[in-house]
Amino acid sequence: MATAASPRVLVIGLDPYRVPGPWDPEPVAKAIEAGLAKFAEHGVGVETCLVCLDGTDDVAAVVGQALRAHPWECVTVGGGLRHSDDQVELLELVINLIRRHAPDAAIAFNDNPATTYEAAARWIGGAHGAGPAGSLGA
């Protein structure tokens, strides 16, 4: 998903439709969509990079390509990559890819899909967020 505004924020997370197991991905997908809608409401461009855990994605290639697509102001890492001890190696990979391909981007973490904009807003410049970025002189 991309908004009409120039993309400034990349959201990296798990594709709820491609997470293995017997579960209903629809509530998570709807929550992601609602969280991303806040970017458009605030005139902030956003793109997503959703990867799967079933082995069909070369995660390093997919995430690396997304990170190189634009000069990101902030990269937000979704909870699906952080909340599972089983995914620690994947989280390390993603963080190191961000450091390599988007070294000037702030890194943010949402609490849940609905707080994705708020997480990024803490770090993006201008009137959209004056949280920690302001205290760091960014």
Side-chain angles (χ1 to χ4, degrees):
M1 172 183 194
T3 66
S6 176
R8 297 169 50 197
V9 177
L10 177 65
V11 177
I12 301 174
L14 298 180
D15 183 338
Y17 292 105
R18 299 189 303 157
V19 172
W23 76 298
D24 181 8
E26 197 64 30
V28 174
K30 286 182 179 184
I32 290 170
E33 189 175 310
L36 294 175
K38 293 180 186 178
F39 286 89
E41 292 169 12
H42 292 277
V44 175
V46 65
E47 287 187 14
T48 60
C49 176
L50 301 179
V51 297
C52 73
L53 298 177
D54 65 7
T56 59
D57 279 346
D58 178 341
V59 175
V62 171
V63 172
Q65 181 179 4
L67 288 164
R68 290 186 302 270
H70 298 282
W72 303 107
E73 192 170 339
C74 181
V75 177
T76 301
V77 179
L81 294 171
R82 295 188 329 278
H83 293 294
S84 171
D85 290 341
D86 295 339
Q87 302 308 323
V88 72
E89 289 179 20
L90 179 58
L91 176 60
E92 289 173 347
L93 172 67
V94 168
I95 297 299
N96 281 296
L97 287 167
I98 295 168
R99 290 181 60 227
R100 182 178 312 133
H101 298 296
D104 295 330
I107 300 172
F109 302 102
N110 62 5
D111 294 327
N112 60 65
T115 65
T116 302
Y117 172 77
E118 290 79 4
R122 290 191 296 264
W123 296 101
I124 58 178
H128 301 291
S135 64
L136 296 175

